[in-house]
């Protein structure tokens, strides 16, 4: 099965058309020197009144901070208050540590959590934080270490830079489908929707162009997904068991809560918009159907029994695709990307950071979905010496085949074209449309559990 | 007065039953909330076993059962009010005066009165349930001088009852201010139970917060004015006032933790009962309804989607039909094929023609409304002519079936000066917007548009040096009040173009009275209110856009007979014209400013952002069509300007 047909070693890049391939180094981008809370040590300690300190603690760190402050200033407050708050604090800590032992990711700090669940490998160390192609035009957005976002277009030298006060620790980017301008940004504390006028020549759009969407308890946001029709945006946070379905124009959200799993880390719509995959930090994921928004749980049992069970269910290709991608992602692949025609599958194999010649590498497979699902190894994509792939995405509408864009560890973004003529679809419609038509009539298309029962 | 008489099959067969279902659910929920209330009201930390046993015995007591029956009555009345008052198009008062008018309207007064009574009833039940010192109005007490036992006024009971009345009034008042009866539709479809479950924490939070606010306000109110009702009650009912007990309208009397706790707990219970009823009603009434695309039998013909879409009098049916259209265009292949099908004998595309005609007329009606508004708006972003004159109004309301809300819905359009083409105005008055009427919603400015007041304000206007000067917009802009100056002149009938005919006022001989100035300030437009009012019913337009664009895009592969192709130029030009009007509207000041987000209130403020949603839906609709058809659009017969605009969309430059 694992015969390598061709090894595609890319050293001198074959650049298709004139897509910009910028490079960013860590030195030129200055990240935040220190978070706000740690800047306190730079100032002299000043004794405020207890009220002021309590108010400050409440504002900075919420209930925890307030209780902590009261406990620490035991000599100024009545004894029963100090003892009471110490007890409550201990109780809270015990409860949260119990909760954390159930879901270990909850003990991480916000930044660590973003790094853990980001699609970008080695997120905290990378100069590139996130990357997104526009679904319809030759335009992409890159989030950088210094929390700015740059937008590159083909045939244009103008690269707008987006900066916003709330734009911290960008974890995901996605352009709105069926729209020329809107870009959703998942930040540490909120969700930003930038409206970047494609015709404007300005290089620094003001922060007035951004909508800030936030919901209490819903941060950090690690994954966002626009519905393929562009009408809804779904966001997920590993600390929130609810995922938010946003009506962006109205700035209102409908929380969809399901207990279990401890949060939602990754979201992905099916190409026809009828299903939504929501992965949790634990061994569980859900598939939502998007007509009435009901879901079913798929526990990820180890190994092949699940795959066998899937095969028995005669499910559609899309679902098999997702199941497949998800299982392998859980085991040893860190990232998979399917080209929009459904003919190439790129898999990012995570290397071993301890071993010397065991770098991360991208393996490319040829896929075919009809008459039976086939997966043929096609080759590897490797970078320059010392550069490892961190993120990859297929260009959404490359004319002559498929175009894989890779973000490397040295801060370079490069484009790897695959020239081929579509095998089974000369003159036919694309497999994605075929996939879409499989699941077009949702009313007759039930969830799998309903099908078996 | 009640909509039941003139109603269509939809109200009779669907809406009524949905309302009944929602009321039934709220009645079923009542014992649960009552039990929680009992548990909380009798809470004692140190005697848990006694607390539980007390509560269980209380729940089985006859007084509790009687209270539950009374509460059921309250829920029934609340549900009935929900059904009668609910509106899909919010009433947006365009000035403070209009808001004041709404609050003081007789219908609203009746509403407040009923809610005060219901609040007192609920609070009476609550006080009986809590028992102890709250249970009765009269308590035996010993007179200090004579030593004999007489009946005294129990001030705690009175306090709780008055709090109920206060909360009832504030609920009714906030219902107007926050548009409590406005029912909005969710962006996604959910089954009723998950939706209720999702909304429940929000409702509980809202009722707790509202109860705390009301408790605070009532305590302050009672502190200042509590003496009056106390003496009145004691003198009418011939009850003594026990002087040995600390009176409650004093600082020490009010700083009673247990009293405040019980007040907020019962307030929360009161609000929760009402809010749950409202929530259940909203959930039930906005549930999607599936209309058949074509009817098999002639007697069902009026229930088919094309017929229902053309219906103008039953707004809720029209909205649900449009929602159904958007859903079917998106989710259901088989129903789309029915839309694209041809009639069996004759081969006409009746379904598609009727649906597209209805959607396009809805959209072009919005376009005309926007254009008329833009014509009317002065450069400073305010409506030039407040022609809320009673003659126009009476003319329009006499032509309509139900006058109630129409005036509100009409307010932005009434502000269109009469020089705009009469057809536009007429059509918007007599057209679909009659359907925007829900009976009972109060008439906004009628009490305040009396000629006397207008004369009062107008008098001052005559003194302004540039009265009626349409020629000098600069001056108008400089003086912030002058816009209404020219307004008054226009609406009172003097021709604006001939300032010479106006008798020159005795300059500065008389100062404007304070009242006149105050009134005029109140009459100034609230910023962005007119913009919100213009788009108040835009949820219908959004669905029309979604449905139309998805159907057109689907027709690319699914339309076997090419029925959509014939209307494609119409659809495209209608969308582009609407886009131009919307773009121009957003260039007005205040139109693109975002409303302040309310933190937690039961009132739905979705209508405040409908214009943004409409703009986004419009662009998405055009993109949907252009990306599907691509270069084929060049073959469609549309004008050059529109083609140029569509080219921008093809290149994703918009």
């Amino acid at each position: 099965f694992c015969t390598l047909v061709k090894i595609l070693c890319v050293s001198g890049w074959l650049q298709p058309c004139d897509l910009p391939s910028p490079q960013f180094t860590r030195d030129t981008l200055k990240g935040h020197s220190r978070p706000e809370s740690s800047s306190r040590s730079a100032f002299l300690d000043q004794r405020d009144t207890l009220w002021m300190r309590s108010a400050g603690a409440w504002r900075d760190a919420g209930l925890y901070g307030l209780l902590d402050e009261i406990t620490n200033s035991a000599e100024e407050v009545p004894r029963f208050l100090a003892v009471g708050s110490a007890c409550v604090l201990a109780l809270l800590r015990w409860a949260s540590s119990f909760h954390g032992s159930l879901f270990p990711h909850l003990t991480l700090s916000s930044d660590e959590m973003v790094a853990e669940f980001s699609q970008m490998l080695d997120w905290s160390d990378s100069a590139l934080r996130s990357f997104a192609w526009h679904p319809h035009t030759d335009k992409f957005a890159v989030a950088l270490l210094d929390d700015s976002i740059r937008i590159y277009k083909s045939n244009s030298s103008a690269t707008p830079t987006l900066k916003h006060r709330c734009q911290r620790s960008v974890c995901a980017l996605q352009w709105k489908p069926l729209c020329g301008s809107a870009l959703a940004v998942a930040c540490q504390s909120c969700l930003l929707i930038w409206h970047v006028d494609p015709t404007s020549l300005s290089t620094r759009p003001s922060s007035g162009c951004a909508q800030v969407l936030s919901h209490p308890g819903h941060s950090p946001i690690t994954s966002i997904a626009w519905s393929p029709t562009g009408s809804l945006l779904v966001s997920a946070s590993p600390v929130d068991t609810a995922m938010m379905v946003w009506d962006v124009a109205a700035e209102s959200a409908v929380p969809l809560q399901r207990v279990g799993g401890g949060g939602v880390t990754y979201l992905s719509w099916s190409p026809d918009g009828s299903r939504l995959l929501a992965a949790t930090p634990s061994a569980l994921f859900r598939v939502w159907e998007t007509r009435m928004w009901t879901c079913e749980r798929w526990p990820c049992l180890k190994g092949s029994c699940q795959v066998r069970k899937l095969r028995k269910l005669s499910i559609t290709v899309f679902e098999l695709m997702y199941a497949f991608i998800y299982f392998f992602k859980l085991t040893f692949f860190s990232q998979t990307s399917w080209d929009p025609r459904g003919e190439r599958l790129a898999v990012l194999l995570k290397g071993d950071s301890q071993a010397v010649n065991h770098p991360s590498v991208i393996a490319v497979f040829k896929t075919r979905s009809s008459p039976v699902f086939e997966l043929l190894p096609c080759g590897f994509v490797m970078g320059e010496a010392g550069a490892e792939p961190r993120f990859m995405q297929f260009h959404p509408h490359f004319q002559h085949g498929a175009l894989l864009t890779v973000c490397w560890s040295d801060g370079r973004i490069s484009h790897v074209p695959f020239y081929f003529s579509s095998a089974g679809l000369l003159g036919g419609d694309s497999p994605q449309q075929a996939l879409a038509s499989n699941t077009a009539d949702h009313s007759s298309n039930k969830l799998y559990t309903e099908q078996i029962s | 007065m009640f909509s039941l008489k003139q109603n269509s099959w939809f109200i009779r067969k669907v809406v009524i039953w949905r309302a009944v279902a929602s009321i039934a659910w709220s009645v079923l929920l009542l014992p649960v909330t009552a039990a929680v209330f009992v548990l909380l009201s009798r809470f004692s930390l140190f005697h848990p076993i006694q607390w539980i046993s007390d509560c269980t015995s209380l729940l089985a007591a006859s007084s509790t059962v009687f209270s539950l029956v009374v509460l059921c009555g309250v829920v029934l009345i609340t549900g009935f009010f929900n059904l009668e008052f609910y509106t899909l198009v919010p009433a947006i008062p365009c000035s403070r005066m209009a808001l004041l008018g709404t609050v003081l309207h007789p219908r609203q007064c009746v509403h407040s009165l009923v809610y005060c009574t219901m609040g007192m009833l609920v609070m009476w039940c609550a006080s009986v349930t809590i028992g102890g010192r709250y249970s009765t109005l009269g308590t035996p007490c010993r007179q200090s001088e004579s030593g004999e036992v007489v009946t005294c006024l129990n001030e705690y009971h009175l306090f709780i009852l008055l709090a109920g009345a206060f909360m009832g009034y504030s609920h009714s008042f906030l219902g107007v201010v926050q548009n409590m009866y406005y029912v909005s539709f969710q962006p996604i479809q959910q089954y009723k139970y998950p939706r209720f479950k999702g909304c429940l924490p929000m409702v509980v939070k809202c009722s707790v917060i509202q109860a705390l606010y009301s408790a605070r306000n009532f305590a302050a109110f009672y502190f200042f004015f509590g003496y009056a009702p106390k003496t009145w009650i004691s003198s009418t009912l011939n009850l003594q006032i026990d002087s040995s007990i600390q009176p409650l309208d004093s600082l020490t009397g009010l700083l009673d933790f247990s009293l405040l706790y019980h007040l907020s707990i019962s307030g929360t219970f009161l609000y929760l009962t009402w809010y749950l009823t409202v929530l259940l009603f909203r959930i039930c009434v906005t549930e999607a309804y599936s209309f058949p695309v074509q009817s098999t039998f002639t007697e069902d013909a009026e229930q088919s989607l094309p017929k229902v879409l053309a219906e103008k009098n039953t707004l809720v049916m029209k909205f649900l039909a449009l929602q159904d259209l958007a859903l079917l265009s998106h989710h259901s292949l088989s129903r789309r094929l029915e839309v694209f099908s041809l009639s069996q004998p004759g081969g006409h595309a009746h379904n598609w023609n009727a649906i597209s005609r209805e959607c396009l007329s809805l959209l072009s009606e919005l376009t005309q409304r926007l254009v008329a508004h833009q014509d009317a708006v002065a450069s400073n972003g305010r409506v030039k002519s407040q022609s809320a004159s009673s003659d126009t109004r009476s003319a329009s309301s006499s032509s309509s079936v139900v006058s109630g809300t129409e005036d509100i819905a009409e307010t932005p359009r009434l502000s269109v000066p009469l020089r705009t083409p009469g057809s536009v105005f007429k059509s918007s008055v007599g057209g679909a917007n009659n359907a925007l009427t829900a009976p009972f919603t109060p008439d906004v400015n009628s009490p305040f548009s009396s000629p006397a007041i207008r004369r009062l304000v107008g008098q001052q206007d005559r003194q302004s040096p540039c009265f009626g000067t349409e020629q000098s917009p600069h001056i108008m802009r400089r003086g912030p009040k002058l816009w209404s100056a020219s307004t008054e002149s226009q609406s009172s009938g003097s021709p604006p173009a001939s300032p010479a005919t106006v008798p020159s006022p005795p300059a500065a001989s008389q100062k404007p009275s304070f009242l006149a100035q105050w009134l005029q300030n109140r009459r100034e437009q609230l910023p962005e209110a007119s913009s919100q009012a213009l788009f108040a019913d835009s949820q219908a337009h959004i669905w029309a856009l979604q449905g139309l664009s998805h159907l057109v895009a689907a027709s690319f592969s699914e339309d076997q007979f090419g029925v959509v192709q014939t209307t494609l130029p119409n659809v495209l030009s209608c969308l582009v014209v609407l886009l131009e009007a919307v773009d121009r509207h957003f260039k007005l000041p205040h139109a693109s400013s975002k409303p302040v987000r309310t933190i937690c209130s039961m009132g739905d403020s979705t209508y405040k952002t409908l214009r943004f949603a409409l703009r986004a839906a419009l662009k998405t609709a055009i993109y949907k069509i252009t990306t599907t058809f691509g270069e084929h659009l060049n073959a469609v017969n549309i004008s050059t300007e529109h083609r140029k605009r569509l080219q921008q969309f093809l290149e994703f430059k918009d």
Side-chain angles (χ1 to χ4, degrees):
Chain A
F1 186 71
C2 283
T3 337
L4 300 182
V5 181
K6 188 174 68 179
I7 293 180
L8 205 149
C9 187
V10 193
S11 49
W13 299 108
L14 185 64
Q15 284 302 339
C17 47
D18 50 354
L19 295 172
S21 49
Q23 180 168 16
F24 306 96
T25 54
R26 283 185 60 86
D27 311 331
T28 53
L29 306 168
K30 256 182 70 182
H32 283 289
S33 49
R34 52 179 72 240
E36 251 170 54
S37 55
S38 70
S39 62
R40 178 187 301 216
S41 57
F43 295 93
L44 285 178
D45 194 24
Q46 194 187 347
R47 301 303 291 177
D48 280 329
T49 60
L50 180 68
W51 281 113
M52 295 295 288
R53 274 183 289 137
S54 302
W58 170 261
R59 200 188 54 232
D60 290 343
L63 185 63
Y64 268 100
L66 181 66
L67 291 173
D68 209 28
E69 186 66 50
I70 294 176
T71 318
N72 287 340
S73 44
E75 66 275 11
E76 290 173 67
V77 294
R79 193 177 146 67
F80 75 93
L81 199 60
V83 173
S85 69
C87 289
V88 173
L89 196 62
L91 204 66
L92 278 178
R93 286 207 172 122
W94 178 79
S96 84
S97 74
F98 175 69
H99 195 200
S101 69
L102 289 179
F103 301 110
H105 69 277
L106 292 179
T107 54
L108 298 176
S109 78
S110 179
D111 261 341
E112 287 167 344
M113 208 180 299
V114 172
E116 172 77 25
F117 296 111
S118 169
Q119 290 288 296
M120 181 73 72
L121 285 186
D122 206 0
W123 179 86
S124 49
D125 197 33
S126 176
L128 304 170
R129 287 273 163 101
S130 189
F131 175 90
W133 271 110
H134 190 275
H136 307 284
T137 52
D138 284 337
K139 167 159 96 170
F140 61 82
V142 191
L144 301 174
L145 181 65
D146 60 350
D147 291 335
S148 67
I149 294 174
R150 302 217 180 139
I151 294 172
Y152 290 87
K153 289 172 235 177
S154 67
N155 312 321
S156 166
S157 58
T159 56
T161 307
L162 313 177
K163 285 186 180 174
H164 194 278
R165 191 169 43 83
C166 301
Q167 193 169 290
R168 292 283 176 84
S169 307
V170 176
C171 186
L173 294 174
Q174 200 179 15
W175 291 90
K176 180 179 175 180
L178 297 179
C179 181
S181 59
L183 172 72
V185 183
C187 310
Q188 197 176 48
S189 59
C190 61
L191 196 60
L192 285 176
I193 312 289
W194 283 96
H195 296 273
V196 190
D197 185 2
T199 52
S200 133
L201 294 172
S202 135
T203 52
R204 274 298 300 272
S206 78
S207 55
C209 301
Q211 278 176 280
V212 182
L213 308 178
S214 63
H215 196 272
H218 193 68
S219 66
I221 297 171
T222 57
S223 188
I224 45 177
W226 285 98
S227 72
T229 54
S231 52
L232 299 172
L233 174 69
V234 189
S235 69
S237 164
V239 294
D240 194 357
T241 50
M243 58 181 200
M244 297 286 158
V245 182
W246 293 93
D247 181 357
V248 170
E251 299 191 3
S252 63
V254 181
L256 292 174
Q257 186 131 27
R258 286 292 182 277
V259 189
V264 184
T265 53
Y266 178 72
L267 294 168
S268 175
W269 286 79
S270 69
D272 65 339
S274 65
R275 300 286 161 80
L276 176 75
L277 175 102
T280 64
S282 47
L284 170 79
F285 69 98
R286 295 190 179 87
V287 178
W288 292 82
E289 60 86 24
T290 58
R291 187 184 153 83
M292 293 308 282
W293 291 91
T294 52
C295 72
E296 67 177 27
R297 295 155 59 103
W298 287 32
C300 297
L301 304 174
K302 285 284 170 208
S304 56
C305 66
Q306 189 74 15
V307 177
R308 212 174 301 135
K309 186 180 155 199
L310 291 176
R311 210 178 295 140
K312 232 185 263 174
L313 283 174
S314 76
I315 52 176
T316 59
V317 178
F318 152 70
E319 288 138 13
L320 184 63
M321 191 166 103
Y322 262 131
F324 175 81
I325 290 175
Y326 199 76
F327 291 130
F328 285 106
K329 191 176 159 188
L330 281 180
T331 50
F332 58 96
F333 299 152
S334 77
Q335 217 182 85
T336 49
S337 176
W338 209 295
D339 92 304
R341 301 188 189 203
E343 300 230 354
R344 291 289 182 280
L345 173 73
V347 180
L348 209 165
L349 300 161
K350 194 173 184 179
D352 190 351
S353 53
Q354 312 300 327
V356 180
N357 36 9
H358 210 294
S360 301
V361 73
I362 295 174
V364 182
F365 295 85
K366 225 186 236 179
T367 58
R368 198 188 294 164
S369 55
S370 67
V372 284
F373 186 75
E374 274 182 12
L375 192 70
L376 294 171
C378 178
F380 289 109
V381 175
M382 281 188 268
E384 290 171 350
E388 293 186 12
R390 289 280 163 81
F391 184 82
M392 57 180 189
Q393 193 174 38
F394 275 103
H395 189 290
H397 54 95
F398 188 60
Q399 301 292 327
H400 318 287
L403 178 74
L404 183 69
T405 302
V406 186
C407 301
W408 301 95
S409 59
D410 59 354
R412 182 192 287 274
I413 294 171
S414 62
H415 310 283
V416 187
F418 300 84
Y419 292 103
F420 58 88
S421 53
S422 300
L425 351 126
L426 296 167
D429 46 1
S430 76
Q432 209 177 84
Q433 274 179 351
L435 287 178
S437 64
N438 273 347
T439 52
D441 195 357
H442 303 194
S443 53
S444 66
N445 193 355
K446 292 179 175 164
L447 289 171
Y448 328 123
T449 43
E450 293 168 36
Q451 282 176 353
I452 18 177
S453 60
Chain B
M1 175 173 173
F2 297 121
S3 46
L4 301 181
K5 283 164 207 145
Q6 28 136 18
N7 271 321
S8 66
W9 63 273
F10 192 75
I11 300 275
R12 271 183 280 116
K13 288 188 186 163
V14 181
V15 177
I16 295 278
W17 289 111
R18 287 182 172 192
V20 168
S22 77
I23 294 172
W25 279 113
S26 0
V27 168
L28 285 180
L29 277 176
L30 205 53
V32 182
T33 49
V36 173
F37 170 68
V38 165
L39 281 177
L40 285 177
S41 66
R42 292 288 177 99
F43 182 73
S44 73
L45 185 62
F46 300 107
H47 308 285
I49 297 166
Q50 195 195 351
W51 167 47
I52 299 288
S53 62
D54 265 6
C55 289
T56 37
S57 62
L58 183 64
L59 282 175
S62 60
S63 69
T64 317
V65 175
F66 180 69
S67 301
L68 273 181
V69 172
V70 173
L71 288 173
C72 284
V74 169
V75 167
L76 284 178
I77 296 172
T78 317
F80 178 72
F81 268 78
N82 285 337
L83 177 62
E84 278 304 321
F85 272 73
Y86 84 97
T87 166
L88 298 170
V89 178
I92 300 165
C94 282
S95 63
R96 288 190 186 82
M97 278 309 268
L99 188 61
L100 198 60
T102 324
V103 173
L104 296 182
H105 192 275
R107 281 197 206 108
Q108 180 57 31
C109 292
V110 172
H111 183 266
S112 305
L113 204 65
V114 173
Y115 265 89
C116 283
T117 323
M118 288 202 294
M120 281 173 86
L121 273 178
V122 176
M123 281 307 206
W124 179 80
C125 296
S127 61
V128 168
T129 315
I130 299 170
R133 57 180 183 177
Y134 302 102
S135 52
T136 50
L137 190 59
T139 46
C141 60
R142 198 171 291 275
Q143 259 183 342
S144 49
E145 60 269 23
S146 58
E148 59 179 315
V149 175
V150 291
T151 330
C152 287
L153 176 70
N154 181 5
E155 203 181 350
Y156 292 103
H157 189 82
L158 180 69
F159 183 78
I160 293 283
L161 285 191
L162 284 178
F166 183 85
M167 286 174 181
Y169 183 74
S170 65
H171 178 79
S172 163
F173 175 75
L174 286 177
V176 173
V177 175
Q178 299 177 345
N179 268 317
M180 189 84 76
Y181 287 109
Y182 166 57
V183 176
S184 72
F185 290 80
Q186 276 208 317
I188 60 172
Q189 300 292 311
Q190 276 180 287
Y191 289 111
K192 277 181 283 190
Y193 174 64
R195 199 176 152 197
F196 176 73
K197 212 171 62 175
C199 292
L200 193 60
M202 189 270 294
V203 169
V204 173
K205 192 178 143 200
C206 280
S207 45
V208 169
I209 289 177
Q210 194 58 47
L212 288 176
Y213 272 121
S214 295
R216 183 198 65 184
N217 294 345
F218 177 69
F221 175 80
Y222 196 81
F223 177 71
F224 289 113
F225 305 106
Y227 183 73
K230 194 165 68 174
T231 43
W232 182 66
I233 290 283
S234 65
S235 63
T236 350
L237 297 183
N238 204 10
L239 294 170
Q240 308 284 320
I241 289 180
D242 194 352
S243 49
S244 63
I245 302 174
Q246 182 73 37
L248 277 182
D249 53 342
S250 63
L251 211 53
T252 43
L254 278 176
L255 284 178
D256 178 352
F257 177 75
S258 140
L259 178 72
L260 292 182
Y261 173 72
H262 281 131
L263 178 63
S264 31
I265 285 289
S266 20
T268 309
F269 176 63
L270 173 70
Y271 279 117
L272 192 64
T273 318
W274 283 338
Y275 285 173
L276 278 180
T277 320
V278 172
L279 174 74
L280 284 165
F281 180 78
R282 283 184 191 167
I283 290 176
C284 285
V285 93
T286 57
E287 204 190 352
Y289 185 87
S290 180
F291 296 88
V293 175
Q294 53 189 11
S295 54
T296 334
F297 305 105
T298 40
E299 54 264 32
D300 296 342
E302 59 165 1
Q303 303 185 8
S304 68
L305 191 60
K307 286 276 167 6
V308 165
L309 279 178
E311 179 66 47
K312 293 200 165 55
N313 291 324
T314 319
L315 193 64
V316 59
M317 181 165 76
K318 194 179 172 83
F319 267 62
L320 285 171
L322 283 164
Q323 187 191 34
D324 188 40
L325 177 71
L327 288 177
L328 85 88
S329 71
H330 196 185
H331 290 291
S332 171
L333 173 67
S334 55
R335 296 181 72 199
R336 278 199 301 263
L337 288 180
E338 267 184 83
V339 172
F340 298 139
S341 68
L342 300 182
S343 67
Q344 201 44 42
H348 296 287
H350 287 310
N351 293 336
W352 166 253
N353 285 343
I355 288 174
S356 65
R357 191 188 329 118
E358 206 43 55
C359 291
L360 289 180
S361 76
L362 203 63
L363 295 178
S364 55
E365 183 260 326
L366 178 67
T367 313
Q368 286 170 353
R369 201 196 293 173
L370 288 177
V371 168
H373 179 76
Q374 278 145 18
D375 287 349
V377 163
S379 50
N380 63 355
R382 283 162 171 158
V383 177
K384 239 191 276 174
S385 158
Q386 273 207 333
S387 66
S389 51
S390 27
D391 10 325
T392 352
R393 173 185 302 259
S394 60
S396 68
S397 55
S398 65
S399 69
S400 67
V401 189
V402 191
S403 63
T405 38
E406 189 207 28
D407 290 335
I408 302 153
E410 230 61 304
T411 317
R413 258 150 284 137
L414 277 176
S415 51
V416 175
L418 292 173
R419 62 185 148 79
T420 51
S423 58
V424 176
F425 189 65
K426 264 280 173 299
S427 71
S428 67
V429 167
N433 298 295
N434 275 346
L436 310 187
T437 53
F440 248 90
T441 317
D443 188 340
V444 178
N445 9 6
S446 58
F448 289 90
S449 59
S450 70
I453 287 170
R454 272 187 284 124
R455 228 175 295 124
L456 196 62
V457 184
Q459 182 189 21
Q460 186 222 343
D461 298 330
R462 305 274 151 129
Q463 301 152 16
S464 62
C466 48
F467 154 70
T469 45
E470 276 218 306
Q471 305 96 323
S472 57
H474 306 287
I475 304 173
M476 279 174 63
R477 218 170 301 146
R478 221 180 295 145
K481 284 170 195 161
L482 296 181
W483 61 273
S484 63
S486 65
T487 296
E488 289 304 327
S489 70
Q490 277 185 14
S491 63
S492 52
S494 61
S498 56
T501 61
V502 177
S504 58
S509 61
Q510 52 200 76
K511 284 251 169 186
S513 71
F514 171 74
L515 181 65
Q517 233 170 16
W518 183 83
L519 272 180
Q520 189 168 13
N521 279 335
R522 301 302 102 177
R523 289 196 62 168
E524 272 195 24
Q525 297 268 312
L526 296 169
E528 60 166 298
S530 63
S531 190
Q532 282 175 14
L534 265 180
F535 289 94
D537 59 342
S538 278
Q539 185 63 59
H541 303 115
I542 292 171
W543 281 325
L545 284 167
Q546 285 176 350
L548 209 55
S549 66
H550 274 105
L551 281 175
V552 169
S555 77
F556 189 69
S557 53
E558 292 168 9
D559 179 13
Q560 297 168 351
F561 309 107
V563 294
V564 176
Q565 280 179 28
T566 53
T567 38
L568 194 54
N570 282 345
V571 172
L572 284 172
S573 56
C574 177
L575 293 184
V576 172
V577 169
L578 179 59
L579 181 69
E580 280 165 2
V582 169
D583 278 351
R584 238 178 295 133
H585 180 82
F586 272 92
K587 292 214 174 76
L588 299 176
H590 296 307
S592 52
S593 60
K594 297 269 174 184
V596 187
R597 291 171 77 186
T598 44
I599 308 299
C600 188
S601 84
M602 238 348 242
D604 204 326
S605 58
T606 321
Y607 64 89
K608 290 182 182 165
T609 48
L610 271 179
R611 57 183 187 280
F612 302 104
L614 180 92
R615 183 171 61 167
L618 178 59
K619 287 196 172 174
T620 310
I622 300 180
Y623 270 121
K624 179 90 191 164
I625 296 176
T626 53
T627 46
T628 316
F629 283 83
E631 293 304 315
H632 298 293
L633 282 182
N634 292 329
V636 179
N637 183 20
I638 43 173
S639 72
T640 345
E641 301 154 46
H642 292 174
R643 192 182 302 280
K644 231 180 265 171
R645 195 73 209 264
L646 286 179
Q647 193 59 37
Q648 289 183 346
F649 277 89
L650 277 172
E651 293 163 5
F652 281 88
K653 289 255 170 71
D654 206 284

